Coordinates of all heavy atoms in Angstrom, one line a residue:
M1 N 26.9 -15.7 8.1 CA 25.5 -15.8 8.4 C 25.2 -17.2 8.8 O 25.9 -18.1 8.5 CB 24.7 -15.3 7.2 CG 24.9 -13.8 6.9 SD 24.0 -13.2 5.5 CE 22.3 -13.4 6.0
S2 N 24.0 -17.4 9.4 CA 23.6 -18.7 10.0 C 22.8 -19.5 9.0 O 21.7 -19.9 9.3 CB 22.9 -18.4 11.3 OG 21.7 -17.7 11.0
G3 N 23.3 -19.8 7.8 CA 22.6 -20.6 6.9 C 21.5 -19.9 6.1 O 20.8 -20.5 5.3
E4 N 21.3 -18.6 6.4 CA 20.3 -17.8 5.7 C 20.8 -17.5 4.3 O 22.0 -17.3 4.1 CB 20.0 -16.5 6.5 CG 19.4 -16.7 7.8 CD 19.2 -15.4 8.6 OE1 19.0 -14.4 7.9 OE2 19.2 -15.5 9.8
P5 N 19.9 -17.3 3.3 CA 20.3 -16.9 2.0 C 21.0 -15.5 2.0 O 20.5 -14.7 2.8 CB 19.1 -17.0 1.2 CG 17.9 -16.9 2.1 CD 18.5 -17.5 3.4
E6 N 21.9 -15.4 1.2 CA 22.6 -14.1 1.1 C 21.6 -13.0 0.6 O 21.7 -11.9 1.0 CB 23.8 -14.2 0.1 CG 24.6 -12.9 -0.1 CD 25.9 -12.9 0.7 OE1 26.1 -13.8 1.4 OE2 26.6 -12.0 0.5
R7 N 20.7 -13.4 -0.4 CA 19.7 -12.4 -0.9 C 18.6 -13.2 -1.5 O 18.8 -14.4 -1.9 CB 20.4 -11.5 -1.9 CG 21.0 -12.2 -3.0 CD 21.9 -11.2 -3.8 NE 22.8 -11.9 -4.7 CZ 24.0 -12.5 -4.5 NH1 24.4 -12.4 -3.3 NH2 24.6 -13.0 -5.4
F8 N 17.4 -12.6 -1.6 CA 16.3 -13.3 -2.2 C 15.2 -12.2 -2.6 O 15.3 -11.1 -2.1 CB 15.7 -14.3 -1.3 CG 15.1 -13.8 0.0 CD1 13.8 -13.5 0.1 CD2 15.9 -13.6 1.1 CE1 13.2 -13.1 1.3 CE2 15.4 -13.1 2.3 CZ 14.1 -12.9 2.4
V9 N 14.3 -12.7 -3.4 CA 13.2 -11.8 -3.9 C 11.9 -12.5 -3.6 O 11.8 -13.7 -3.8 CB 13.3 -11.6 -5.4 CG1 12.2 -10.8 -5.9 CG2 14.6 -11.0 -5.8
L10 N 11.0 -11.7 -3.0 CA 9.7 -12.2 -2.7 C 8.7 -11.5 -3.5 O 8.7 -10.3 -3.6 CB 9.4 -12.0 -1.2 CG 8.0 -12.3 -0.7 CD1 7.8 -13.8 -0.7 CD2 7.8 -11.7 0.7
Q11 N 7.9 -12.3 -4.3 CA 6.9 -11.6 -5.1 C 5.5 -12.0 -4.6 O 5.2 -13.1 -4.3 CB 7.0 -12.1 -6.6 CG 6.0 -11.4 -7.5 CD 6.4 -11.5 -8.9 OE1 7.5 -11.9 -9.3 NE2 5.5 -11.0 -9.8
Y12 N 4.6 -10.9 -4.5 CA 3.3 -11.0 -4.1 C 2.4 -10.3 -5.1 O 2.5 -9.1 -5.1 CB 3.1 -10.5 -2.7 CG 1.7 -10.6 -2.1 CD1 1.3 -11.9 -1.7 CD2 0.8 -9.5 -2.1 CE1 0.0 -12.0 -1.1 CE2 -0.4 -9.7 -1.5 CZ -0.9 -10.9 -1.1 OH -2.1 -11.0 -0.6
Y13 N 1.7 -11.0 -6.0 CA 1.1 -10.4 -7.1 C 2.1 -9.6 -7.9 O 3.1 -10.1 -8.3 CB -0.2 -9.6 -6.7 CG -1.3 -10.4 -6.1 CD1 -1.4 -10.5 -4.7 CD2 -2.1 -11.2 -6.9 CE1 -2.4 -11.3 -4.2 CE2 -3.1 -12.0 -6.4 CZ -3.3 -12.0 -5.0 OH -4.2 -12.8 -4.5
D14 N 1.8 -8.3 -8.1 CA 2.7 -7.5 -8.9 C 3.8 -6.8 -8.1 O 4.6 -6.1 -8.7 CB 1.9 -6.4 -9.7 CG 1.0 -6.9 -10.7 OD1 1.3 -8.1 -11.2 OD2 0.1 -6.2 -11.1
V15 N 3.9 -7.1 -6.9 CA 4.8 -6.4 -6.0 C 6.0 -7.4 -5.8 O 5.9 -8.5 -5.5 CB 4.2 -6.1 -4.6 CG1 5.3 -5.5 -3.7 CG2 3.1 -5.1 -4.8
K16 N 7.2 -6.8 -6.0 CA 8.4 -7.6 -5.7 C 9.2 -6.9 -4.5 O 9.4 -5.7 -4.5 CB 9.4 -7.6 -6.9 CG 8.8 -8.5 -8.0 CD 9.9 -8.6 -9.1 CE 9.3 -9.5 -10.2 NZ 10.3 -9.7 -11.3
L17 N 9.6 -7.7 -3.6 CA 10.4 -7.2 -2.4 C 11.8 -7.8 -2.5 O 11.9 -9.0 -2.7 CB 9.7 -7.6 -1.1 CG 8.3 -7.2 -0.9 CD1 7.7 -7.8 0.3 CD2 8.2 -5.7 -0.9
F18 N 12.8 -7.0 -2.4 CA 14.2 -7.4 -2.6 C 14.8 -7.4 -1.2 O 14.8 -6.3 -0.5 CB 14.9 -6.5 -3.6 CG 14.4 -6.6 -4.9 CD1 13.4 -5.7 -5.3 CD2 14.8 -7.5 -5.8 CE1 12.8 -5.7 -6.6 CE2 14.3 -7.6 -7.1 CZ 13.3 -6.7 -7.5
F19 N 15.5 -8.4 -0.8 CA 16.1 -8.5 0.5 C 17.6 -9.0 0.3 O 17.9 -9.8 -0.6 CB 15.5 -9.6 1.3 CG 14.0 -9.3 1.7 CD1 13.0 -9.7 0.8 CD2 13.7 -8.6 2.8 CE1 11.7 -9.4 1.1 CE2 12.4 -8.4 3.1 CZ 11.4 -8.8 2.3
G20 N 18.4 -8.5 1.2 CA 19.7 -9.2 1.4 C 20.9 -8.3 0.9 O 20.8 -7.3 0.3
R21 N 22.0 -8.9 1.3 CA 23.3 -8.2 1.0 C 23.6 -8.3 -0.5 O 23.3 -9.3 -1.1 CB 24.4 -8.9 1.8 CG 24.2 -8.9 3.3 CD 25.2 -9.8 4.0 NE 26.5 -9.2 3.8 CZ 27.6 -9.9 4.0 NH1 27.5 -11.2 4.3 NH2 28.8 -9.3 3.8
K22 N 24.1 -7.2 -1.0 CA 24.6 -7.1 -2.4 C 23.4 -7.3 -3.4 O 23.7 -7.5 -4.6 CB 25.6 -8.2 -2.7 CG 26.9 -8.0 -1.8 CD 27.9 -9.1 -2.0 CE 29.0 -9.0 -1.0 NZ 30.0 -10.1 -1.2
I23 N 22.2 -7.1 -3.0 CA 21.0 -7.2 -3.9 C 21.0 -6.0 -4.9 O 20.4 -6.2 -6.0 CB 19.7 -7.3 -3.1 CG1 18.6 -7.7 -4.0 CG2 19.3 -5.9 -2.5 CD1 18.6 -9.2 -4.3
L24 N 21.6 -4.9 -4.6 CA 21.5 -3.8 -5.5 C 22.1 -4.1 -6.9 O 21.6 -3.5 -7.9 CB 22.2 -2.5 -4.9 CG 21.6 -2.0 -3.6 CD1 22.3 -0.8 -3.2 CD2 20.1 -1.6 -3.9
R25 N 23.1 -4.9 -6.9 CA 23.7 -5.2 -8.2 C 22.7 -5.9 -9.2 O 22.7 -5.8 -10.4 CB 24.9 -6.2 -8.1 CG 26.0 -5.6 -7.4 CD 27.1 -6.6 -7.3 NE 27.8 -6.4 -6.0 CZ 28.7 -7.3 -5.5 NH1 29.0 -8.3 -6.2 NH2 29.2 -7.0 -4.4
E26 N 21.8 -6.7 -8.6 CA 20.8 -7.5 -9.3 C 19.6 -6.7 -9.7 O 18.8 -7.2 -10.6 CB 20.5 -8.7 -8.5 CG 21.6 -9.6 -8.2 CD 21.3 -10.8 -7.4 OE1 20.1 -11.2 -7.4 OE2 22.2 -11.4 -6.8
I27 N 19.3 -5.6 -9.2 CA 18.0 -4.9 -9.4 C 18.1 -3.8 -10.4 O 17.1 -3.2 -10.8 CB 17.3 -4.4 -8.1 CG1 18.2 -3.3 -7.5 CG2 17.1 -5.6 -7.2 CD1 17.4 -2.7 -6.3
K28 N 19.3 -3.5 -11.0 CA 19.4 -2.4 -11.9 C 18.4 -2.5 -13.1 O 17.8 -1.6 -13.5 CB 20.8 -2.2 -12.4 CG 21.7 -1.6 -11.3 CD 23.1 -1.4 -11.8 CE 24.0 -0.8 -10.7 NZ 25.3 -0.4 -11.2
P29 N 18.3 -3.7 -13.8 CA 17.4 -3.9 -14.9 C 15.9 -3.6 -14.4 O 15.1 -3.0 -15.2 CB 17.6 -5.3 -15.3 CG 18.9 -5.7 -14.9 CD 19.1 -4.9 -13.6
F30 N 15.6 -4.0 -13.2 CA 14.3 -3.8 -12.7 C 14.0 -2.3 -12.5 O 12.9 -1.8 -12.8 CB 14.2 -4.6 -11.3 CG 12.8 -4.5 -10.7 CD1 11.8 -5.4 -11.2 CD2 12.5 -3.6 -9.7 CE1 10.6 -5.4 -10.6 CE2 11.2 -3.6 -9.2 CZ 10.3 -4.5 -9.6
I31 N 15.0 -1.6 -12.0 CA 14.8 -0.1 -11.8 C 14.6 0.6 -13.2 O 13.7 1.4 -13.3 CB 16.0 0.5 -11.1 CG1 16.1 0.0 -9.7 CG2 16.0 2.0 -11.1 CD1 17.4 0.3 -9.0
Q32 N 15.3 0.2 -14.2 CA 15.2 0.7 -15.5 C 13.8 0.5 -16.1 O 13.3 1.3 -16.8 CB 16.3 0.2 -16.4 CG 17.7 0.7 -16.1 CD 18.7 0.0 -17.0 OE1 18.7 -1.2 -17.1 NE2 19.6 0.8 -17.5
E33 N 13.3 -0.7 -15.8 CA 12.0 -1.0 -16.4 C 10.8 -0.4 -15.7 O 9.9 0.1 -16.3 CB 11.8 -2.5 -16.3 CG 10.5 -3.0 -16.9 CD 10.4 -4.5 -16.9 OE1 11.3 -5.2 -16.7 OE2 9.2 -5.0 -17.2
Y34 N 10.8 -0.3 -14.3 CA 9.6 0.2 -13.6 C 9.6 1.6 -13.2 O 8.6 2.2 -13.1 CB 9.4 -0.8 -12.4 CG 9.0 -2.1 -12.9 CD1 9.9 -3.1 -13.0 CD2 7.6 -2.4 -13.2 CE1 9.5 -4.4 -13.4 CE2 7.2 -3.6 -13.6 CZ 8.2 -4.6 -13.7 OH 7.8 -5.9 -14.2
K35 N 10.7 2.2 -12.8 CA 10.9 3.6 -12.5 C 10.1 4.2 -11.3 O 10.3 5.3 -11.0 CB 10.5 4.4 -13.7 CG 11.5 4.3 -14.9 CD 12.7 5.0 -14.6 CE 13.6 5.1 -15.9 NZ 14.8 5.8 -15.6
R36 N 9.3 3.4 -10.6 CA 8.5 3.9 -9.4 C 8.7 2.9 -8.3 O 8.3 1.7 -8.5 CB 7.1 4.1 -9.8 CG 6.9 5.2 -10.8 CD 5.4 5.4 -11.2 NE 4.7 5.9 -10.0 CZ 3.4 5.8 -9.8 NH1 2.6 5.2 -10.7 NH2 2.8 6.2 -8.8
F37 N 9.1 3.4 -7.1 CA 9.4 2.5 -6.0 C 8.9 3.0 -4.7 O 8.9 4.2 -4.5 CB 10.9 2.2 -6.0 CG 11.4 1.6 -7.3 CD1 11.8 2.4 -8.3 CD2 11.4 0.3 -7.4 CE1 12.2 1.9 -9.5 CE2 11.8 -0.3 -8.6 CZ 12.2 0.5 -9.6
G38 N 8.7 2.1 -3.8 CA 8.4 2.4 -2.4 C 9.6 1.8 -1.6 O 9.9 0.7 -1.8
I39 N 10.1 2.6 -0.7 CA 11.2 2.1 0.2 C 10.6 2.0 1.6 O 10.1 3.0 2.2 CB 12.4 3.0 0.2 CG1 12.9 3.2 -1.2 CG2 13.4 2.6 1.2 CD1 14.0 4.3 -1.3
L40 N 10.5 0.8 2.1 CA 9.9 0.6 3.4 C 11.1 0.2 4.3 O 11.8 -0.8 4.0 CB 8.9 -0.6 3.4 CG 7.5 -0.2 2.9 CD1 7.6 0.2 1.4 CD2 6.6 -1.3 3.1
T41 N 11.2 0.9 5.4 CA 12.4 0.7 6.3 C 12.0 1.1 7.7 O 11.0 1.7 8.0 CB 13.6 1.6 5.8 OG1 14.7 1.3 6.6 CG2 13.2 3.1 5.8
G42 N 12.9 0.7 8.6 CA 12.7 1.1 10.0 C 13.2 2.6 10.2 O 13.6 3.2 9.2
R43 N 13.2 3.1 11.4 CA 13.5 4.5 11.6 C 15.0 4.8 11.4 O 15.3 5.9 10.9 CB 13.1 4.9 13.0 CG 11.6 4.8 13.2 CD 11.2 5.4 14.5 NE 9.9 5.0 14.9 CZ 8.8 5.5 14.4 NH1 8.8 6.4 13.5 NH2 7.6 5.1 14.9
S44 N 15.9 3.9 11.7 CA 17.3 4.3 11.7 C 18.3 3.3 11.2 O 19.4 3.7 10.7 CB 17.7 4.8 13.0 OG 17.7 3.8 14.0
S45 N 18.0 2.0 11.3 CA 19.1 1.0 11.1 C 19.6 1.1 9.6 O 20.8 0.9 9.4 CB 18.6 -0.4 11.4 OG 17.5 -0.7 10.6
A46 N 18.7 1.3 8.6 CA 19.2 1.3 7.3 C 20.1 2.6 7.0 O 21.0 2.5 6.3 CB 18.0 1.3 6.3
K47 N 19.7 3.6 7.7 CA 20.5 4.9 7.6 C 21.9 4.7 8.2 O 22.9 5.1 7.7 CB 19.8 6.1 8.1 CG 18.6 6.4 7.3 CD 17.8 7.6 7.9 CE 16.5 7.8 7.0 NZ 15.6 8.8 7.6
I48 N 21.9 4.1 9.4 CA 23.1 3.9 10.1 C 24.1 3.0 9.4 O 25.3 3.2 9.3 CB 22.9 3.3 11.6 CG1 22.2 4.4 12.4 CG2 24.2 2.8 12.2 CD1 21.6 3.9 13.7
S49 N 23.5 1.9 8.8 CA 24.3 0.9 8.0 C 24.8 1.5 6.7 O 25.8 0.9 6.1 CB 23.6 -0.3 7.8 OG 22.6 -0.1 6.8
G50 N 24.2 2.5 6.2 CA 24.5 3.0 4.9 C 23.7 2.5 3.7 O 23.8 2.9 2.6
A51 N 22.9 1.4 4.0 CA 22.0 0.8 3.0 C 21.0 1.8 2.4 O 20.8 1.8 1.2 CB 21.3 -0.4 3.6
Y52 N 20.5 2.6 3.2 CA 19.5 3.6 2.8 C 20.1 4.5 1.7 O 19.6 4.7 0.6 CB 19.0 4.5 3.9 CG 18.0 5.6 3.6 CD1 16.7 5.3 3.4 CD2 18.5 6.9 3.4 CE1 15.8 6.3 3.1 CE2 17.6 7.9 3.0 CZ 16.3 7.6 2.9 OH 15.4 8.6 2.5
D53 N 21.3 5.1 2.0 CA 22.0 5.9 1.0 C 22.3 5.2 -0.3 O 22.2 5.7 -1.4 CB 23.2 6.5 1.6 CG 22.9 7.6 2.7 OD1 21.9 8.2 2.6 OD2 23.8 7.8 3.5
D54 N 22.7 3.9 -0.2 CA 23.0 3.1 -1.4 C 21.8 3.0 -2.3 O 21.9 3.1 -3.5 CB 23.5 1.7 -1.0 CG 24.9 1.8 -0.3 OD1 25.6 2.8 -0.4 OD2 25.2 0.7 0.3
V55 N 20.7 2.7 -1.7 CA 19.4 2.6 -2.4 C 19.0 3.9 -3.1 O 18.7 3.9 -4.3 CB 18.3 2.0 -1.5 CG1 16.9 2.0 -2.3 CG2 18.6 0.6 -1.1
I56 N 19.0 4.9 -2.3 CA 18.6 6.3 -2.8 C 19.5 6.7 -3.9 O 19.1 7.2 -5.0 CB 18.6 7.3 -1.7 CG1 17.6 7.0 -0.6 CG2 18.4 8.7 -2.2 CD1 16.2 7.0 -1.1
N57 N 20.8 6.5 -3.8 CA 21.8 6.9 -4.9 C 21.5 6.1 -6.1 O 21.6 6.6 -7.2 CB 23.2 6.7 -4.4 CG 23.6 7.7 -3.4 OD1 23.0 8.8 -3.3 ND2 24.6 7.4 -2.5
L58 N 21.2 4.8 -6.0 CA 20.9 4.0 -7.2 C 19.6 4.4 -7.9 O 19.6 4.5 -9.1 CB 20.8 2.5 -6.8 CG 20.6 1.5 -7.9 CD1 21.8 1.6 -8.9 CD2 20.4 0.1 -7.4
L59 N 18.6 4.7 -7.1 CA 17.4 5.2 -7.7 C 17.6 6.5 -8.4 O 17.0 6.7 -9.5 CB 16.3 5.3 -6.6 CG 15.8 3.9 -6.0 CD1 14.8 4.2 -4.9 CD2 15.2 3.1 -7.1
R60 N 18.3 7.4 -7.8 CA 18.6 8.7 -8.4 C 19.4 8.5 -9.7 O 19.2 9.3 -10.7 CB 19.3 9.6 -7.4 CG 18.4 10.1 -6.3 CD 19.2 11.0 -5.4 NE 18.3 11.5 -4.4 CZ 18.7 12.0 -3.2 NH1 19.9 12.1 -2.9 NH2 17.8 12.4 -2.3
E61 N 20.3 7.6 -9.7 CA 21.1 7.3 -10.9 C 20.2 7.0 -12.1 O 20.6 7.4 -13.2 CB 22.0 6.1 -10.6 CG 22.9 5.7 -11.8 CD 23.7 4.4 -11.4 OE1 24.1 4.2 -10.2 OE2 24.0 3.7 -12.4
F62 N 19.1 6.4 -11.9 CA 18.2 6.0 -13.0 C 17.0 6.9 -13.0 O 16.0 6.6 -13.7 CB 17.7 4.6 -12.8 CG 18.8 3.6 -13.1 CD1 19.5 3.0 -12.0 CD2 19.2 3.2 -14.4 CE1 20.6 2.1 -12.3 CE2 20.2 2.3 -14.6 CZ 20.9 1.7 -13.6
D63 N 17.0 8.1 -12.3 CA 15.9 9.0 -12.3 C 14.6 8.4 -12.0 O 13.5 8.7 -12.5 CB 15.8 9.8 -13.7 CG 17.0 10.7 -13.9 OD1 17.5 11.3 -13.0 OD2 17.4 10.7 -15.1
A64 N 14.6 7.4 -11.1 CA 13.4 6.7 -10.6 C 12.7 7.5 -9.6 O 13.3 8.3 -8.8 CB 13.8 5.4 -10.0
E65 N 11.4 7.4 -9.6 CA 10.5 8.0 -8.6 C 10.5 7.1 -7.4 O 10.4 5.9 -7.5 CB 9.1 8.2 -9.1 CG 9.0 9.2 -10.2 CD 7.5 9.3 -10.7 OE1 6.6 9.3 -9.8 OE2 7.3 9.4 -11.9
Y66 N 10.5 7.7 -6.2 CA 10.3 6.8 -5.0 C 9.7 7.6 -3.8 O 9.7 8.8 -3.8 CB 11.7 6.3 -4.6 CG 12.7 7.4 -4.2 CD1 12.8 7.8 -2.9 CD2 13.5 8.0 -5.1 CE1 13.7 8.8 -2.5 CE2 14.4 8.9 -4.8 CZ 14.5 9.4 -3.5 OH 15.4 10.3 -3.1
I67 N 9.1 6.8 -2.9 CA 8.6 7.4 -1.7 C 9.3 6.5 -0.6 O 9.7 5.4 -0.8 CB 7.1 7.3 -1.5 CG1 6.6 5.9 -1.7 CG2 6.5 8.2 -2.6 CD1 5.2 5.7 -1.3
V68 N 9.4 7.1 0.6 CA 10.0 6.5 1.7 C 9.0 6.4 2.9 O 8.4 7.4 3.2 CB 11.3 7.2 2.2 CG1 11.9 6.5 3.5 CG2 12.3 7.3 1.1
Y69 N 8.8 5.2 3.4 CA 8.0 4.9 4.6 C 8.9 4.3 5.6 O 9.4 3.2 5.5 CB 6.8 4.0 4.2 CG 5.9 3.8 5.4 CD1 4.9 4.7 5.7 CD2 6.0 2.6 6.2 CE1 4.0 4.5 6.7 CE2 5.2 2.4 7.2 CZ 4.2 3.3 7.5 OH 3.3 3.1 8.6
D70 N 9.2 5.1 6.7 CA 10.2 4.7 7.7 C 9.6 4.3 9.0 O 10.2 4.6 10.1 CB 11.3 5.7 7.8 CG 10.8 7.0 8.3 OD1 9.6 7.2 8.6 OD2 11.7 7.9 8.5
K71 N 8.5 3.7 9.0 CA 7.8 3.3 10.3 C 7.7 1.8 10.4 O 6.7 1.3 11.1 CB 6.5 4.0 10.4 CG 6.6 5.5 10.5 CD 5.3 6.2 10.4 CE 5.4 7.7 10.5 NZ 6.2 8.3 9.4
I72 N 8.5 1.0 9.8 CA 8.5 -0.4 9.9 C 9.3 -0.9 11.1 O 10.4 -0.5 11.3 CB 9.0 -1.0 8.6 CG1 8.2 -0.6 7.3 CG2 9.0 -2.6 8.7 CD1 6.8 -1.0 7.3
S73 N 8.7 -1.8 11.9 CA 9.4 -2.3 13.0 C 10.0 -3.6 12.7 O 9.6 -4.2 11.7 CB 8.4 -2.5 14.2 OG 7.4 -3.5 13.8
P74 N 10.9 -4.1 13.5 CA 11.4 -5.5 13.3 C 10.3 -6.5 13.3 O 9.4 -6.4 14.1 CB 12.4 -5.7 14.4 CG 12.8 -4.3 14.9 CD 11.5 -3.5 14.6
N75 N 10.3 -7.5 12.4 CA 9.3 -8.5 12.4 C 7.9 -7.8 12.3 O 7.1 -8.0 13.2 CB 9.4 -9.4 13.6 CG 10.7 -10.1 13.6 OD1 11.2 -10.6 12.6 ND2 11.3 -10.1 14.8
P76 N 7.7 -7.0 11.3 CA 6.4 -6.2 11.2 C 5.2 -7.1 11.1 O 5.2 -8.2 10.5 CB 6.6 -5.4 10.0 CG 7.6 -6.1 9.1 CD 8.5 -6.9 10.1
W77 N 4.1 -6.5 11.5 CA 2.8 -7.1 11.4 C 2.2 -6.7 10.0 O 2.6 -5.8 9.4 CB 1.8 -6.6 12.5 CG 2.2 -7.1 13.9 CD1 3.2 -6.5 14.7 CD2 1.7 -8.2 14.5 NE1 3.3 -7.2 15.9 CE2 2.4 -8.3 15.8 CE3 0.7 -9.2 14.2 CZ2 2.1 -9.3 16.7 CZ3 0.5 -10.2 15.2 CH2 1.1 -10.2 16.4
V78 N 1.2 -7.5 9.6 CA 0.5 -7.2 8.4 C -0.1 -5.8 8.4 O -0.1 -5.0 7.4 CB -0.6 -8.2 8.1 CG1 -1.5 -7.8 6.9 CG2 0.0 -9.6 7.8
S79 N -0.5 -5.3 9.6 CA -1.1 -4.0 9.7 C -0.1 -2.9 9.4 O -0.5 -1.9 8.8 CB -1.7 -3.8 11.1 OG -0.6 -3.9 12.1
E80 N 1.2 -3.1 9.6 CA 2.2 -2.1 9.2 C 2.3 -2.0 7.7 O 2.4 -1.0 7.1 CB 3.5 -2.5 9.8 CG 3.6 -2.2 11.3 CD 5.0 -2.4 11.8 OE1 5.9 -1.7 11.4 OE2 5.2 -3.3 12.7
A81 N 2.2 -3.2 7.0 CA 2.3 -3.2 5.6 C 1.0 -2.5 5.0 O 1.1 -1.7 4.0 CB 2.4 -4.6 5.0
E82 N -0.1 -2.7 5.6 CA -1.3 -2.0 5.2 C -1.2 -0.5 5.3 O -1.6 0.2 4.5 CB -2.5 -2.6 6.0 CG -2.9 -4.0 5.6 CD -3.9 -4.6 6.5 OE1 -4.2 -4.1 7.6 OE2 -4.4 -5.7 6.1
K83 N -0.7 -0.1 6.5 CA -0.5 1.4 6.6 C 0.5 1.9 5.6 O 0.3 3.0 5.1 CB 0.1 1.7 8.1 CG -0.9 1.5 9.1 CD -0.3 1.8 10.5 CE -1.2 1.5 11.6 NZ -0.6 1.6 12.9
A84 N 1.5 1.2 5.3 CA 2.5 1.7 4.3 C 1.9 1.8 3.0 O 2.2 2.7 2.2 CB 3.7 0.7 4.3
G85 N 1.0 0.8 2.7 CA 0.3 0.9 1.3 C -0.6 2.1 1.2 O -0.7 2.7 0.2

């Protein structure tokens, strides 16, 4: 990668957003604690890469509730986040 962090967490009030490669290993305690999640993704890239299935399988492993919003574009505008909310 070009000097970008491998993974990071962004927190905005009570919302935490997890980004990056191999982040799933680090969020298991978070899944156990909160149990309800929103997955925001584009239409196909996460599914093609396999990342979508990895996340869904992990959430199912912990019987977590989740919703999927798959209308996020690359470099999304604030308006897209508002629609997802």
Side-chain angles (χ1 to χ4, degrees):
M1 294 178 66
S2 60
E4 295 177 28
E6 181 102 352
R7 56 195 170 274
F8 63 96
V9 177
L10 174 68
Q11 184 162 352
Y12 183 75
Y13 293 100
D14 291 339
V15 174
K16 287 186 181 182
L17 304 172
F18 298 91
F19 297 87
R21 300 172 66 201
K22 302 178 185 175
I23 195 75
L24 294 182
R25 293 182 218 171
E26 297 177 23
I27 65 172
K28 287 182 180 185
F30 186 81
I31 293 171
Q32 289 174 315
E33 182 177 350
Y34 291 96
K35 294 284 194 181
R36 294 178 67 202
F37 300 89
I39 300 170
L40 282 65
T41 183
R43 296 187 197 283
S44 62
S45 62
K47 290 177 183 173
I48 291 169
S49 73
Y52 177 84
D53 289 334
D54 291 344
V55 170
I56 296 299
N57 290 335
L58 184 60
L59 293 173
R60 287 179 178 163
E61 177 183 332
F62 290 99
D63 293 322
E65 294 179 41
Y66 62 91
I67 59 167
V68 177
Y69 182 83
D70 63 358
K71 295 173 180 59
I72 300 296
S73 65
N75 302 312
W77 291 84
V78 171
S79 60
E80 286 185 63
E82 290 170 347
K83 286 179 187 175

